[in-house]
Amino acid sequence: MLWTMGRVFGILGGMTSDRDFSGSSCPPPLDLVVVGSVGLDDIRTPAETRECVTGGAGTYACAAASFFASTGIVAVVGDDFDCDCESWLSRFGVDREGLARRPGRTFRWSGVYEDDFVNRRTLSTELGVFADFNPILPENYRKAGYLLLGNIGPELQWNVVEQARPDAFVAVDTMDLWINTQREALLRVIGRASLLTLNDAEARLLTGCHQLRDCAEALMEMGPPAVAIKKGEHGALLFTEEGISILPAYPVKRLSDPTGAGDLFAGACLGYLAARKAADRASILTGMVYGSVVASFGVESFGLDGLAELDMSSIEGRVAELREMSRC
Ligand code: AMP
């Protein structure tokens, strides 16, 4: 399994970009570019409450992708931001040339989980400096063949699409806030998607359908040839023209914090595809297996803690276990 230079150098270095460009004036193109929120979360789960946790959809997705592929982040933080989140990204070897710092407040989200760890209420979302962020992508970001438009406003997602390779593989994630408030802009982004990942409630909200099969059909009519519908602890479904696949979730022994599970899932799946330059159905399905496994490690601990000591051999071990468990 691949360990990118980025991840190896990230553990040693503290530079803006941890990859090794020695002997070359121009950094090589990244495998994968992720746009998504980077910020601070206040989270209450039945197990624990923590404030000011390093979070954001972009942070989770990049951390997961970095196990497989060289990954760069497009995001912005405010001048109130201390270095904790950046040091997380550096630890995972994520390229941070696309991470801007602007005067103003950093993205902040707070949420509370009910006793089932499934239903979650957003208490507040402050976009802060993301509200009018206009990124200019570095040259080696523009050449990446894979793009993950993680959860953030669809106008910003589109801005990144316009600067990317026209033939890039584009995965799109979103959430109820954007479905409810920026539907038209979101539909334009979804129209460009090669793969759409949504949870079951979001799929129903976006399409107005109830049965997930009907939701997937309606979503594919919007543009994406592949739709992954996530169902939390019940796994995920992949829909393409060729058929439907059912993927179980790894049954974790302990649940601590489900925040970011969807972003870890999408990040690992895209990292897997980008590292192999693959876009076929079988590879997407294998990417989803890695996505489920990385997410399972994430939810066992709070915030990103579950990924801090994670290595490829533990990931491969759990992938083998999941495959064995789901033989029927
Ligand atoms: P998930 O649990 O997969 O939905 O991801 C939760 C993460 O997404 C948290 O770290 C939040 O900071 C981030 N997040 C929550 N709401 C939004 C939003 N409206 N836009 C972008 N990121 C968000």
Side-chain angles (χ1 to χ4, degrees):
M1 190 51 64
L2 286 174
W3 273 80
T4 64
M5 292 295 275
R7 196 157 164 80
V8 175
F9 278 81
I11 291 159
L12 303 175
M15 302 171 285
T16 305
S17 168
D18 304 313
R19 299 187 309 137
D20 180 21
F21 308 138
S22 48
S24 133
S25 56
C26 179
L30 295 160
D31 296 322
L32 171 66
V33 165
V34 175
V35 56
S37 52
V38 166
L40 299 167
D41 293 342
D42 301 320
I43 304 166
R44 189 159 85 229
T45 80
E48 208 177 329
T49 298
R50 281 203 214 169
E51 290 186 353
C52 234
V53 179
T54 292
T59 312
Y60 281 102
C62 280
S66 72
F67 286 93
F68 307 91
S70 64
T71 305
I73 177 87
V74 177
V76 60
V77 292
D79 51 11
D80 57 346
F81 193 69
D82 68 18
C83 290
D84 188 44
C85 181
E86 194 160 354
S87 68
W88 270 105
L89 292 170
S90 145
R91 174 185 208 148
F92 290 111
V94 175
D95 189 291
R96 302 180 308 286
E97 215 186 324
L99 179 65
R101 191 178 277 269
R102 299 275 186 272
R105 282 174 64 80
T106 297
F107 177 88
R108 190 132 187 174
W109 174 80
S110 91
V112 54
Y113 289 85
E114 288 176 16
D115 287 344
D116 58 5
F117 277 92
V118 174
N119 288 314
R120 178 174 84 186
R121 206 153 36 89
T122 291
L123 299 178
S124 65
T125 305
E126 291 172 37
L127 284 181
V129 284
F130 266 106
D132 52 9
F133 177 46
N134 247 321
I136 308 287
L137 262 58
E139 204 46 44
N140 60 327
Y141 281 53
R142 291 169 191 257
K143 291 181 187 151
Y146 290 75
L147 210 56
L148 171 53
L149 306 178
N151 186 15
I152 194 64
E155 301 280 2
L156 173 53
Q157 291 178 320
W158 186 253
N159 184 327
V160 173
V161 166
E162 286 191 307
Q163 297 179 58
R165 267 169 55 170
D167 62 345
F169 182 96
V170 177
V172 175
D173 196 7
T174 192
M175 74 180 296
D176 54 357
L177 175 67
W178 310 117
I179 297 171
N180 287 325
T181 63
Q182 296 194 31
R183 189 182 168 85
E184 284 313 307
L186 180 61
L187 289 180
R188 179 166 64 166
V189 174
I190 290 175
R192 170 65 182 86
S194 320
L195 169 66
L196 176 65
T197 70
L198 290 174
N199 69 34
D200 42 2
E202 291 157 354
R204 290 183 173 117
L205 180 65
L206 188 53
T207 61
C209 302
H210 184 266
Q211 292 305 113
L212 293 181
R213 241 181 133 139
D214 295 336
C215 294
E217 241 168 62
L219 292 168
M220 286 195 282
E221 270 170 26
M222 295 174 189
V227 174
I229 299 186
K230 300 165 285 175
K231 289 158 36 85
E233 63 177 322
H234 303 297
L237 296 163
L238 174 65
F239 296 88
T240 67
E241 231 180 35
E242 296 150 271
I244 305 172
S245 297
I246 303 168
L247 172 70
Y250 181 86
V252 294
K253 283 193 186 148
R254 166 179 56 109
L255 193 55
S256 184
D257 174 19
T259 308
D263 311 309
L264 294 174
F265 174 88
C269 179
L270 260 286
Y272 175 86
L273 292 174
R276 276 158 192 75
K277 302 199 183 336
D280 58 289
R281 183 177 208 285
S283 301
I284 294 175
L285 200 54
T286 308
M288 288 170 63
V289 174
Y290 280 94
S292 292
V293 162
V294 173
S296 74
F297 283 107
V299 300
E300 285 176 336
S301 304
F302 219 90
L304 279 161
D305 290 354
L307 269 68
E309 303 298 328
L310 189 59
D311 58 26
M312 254 343 272
S313 72
S314 310
I315 294 174
E316 292 293 4
R318 210 170 255 197
V319 164
E321 251 188 283
L322 180 60
R323 289 206 158 117
E324 182 58 35
M325 283 173 183
S326 52
R327 277 202 312 170
C328 51

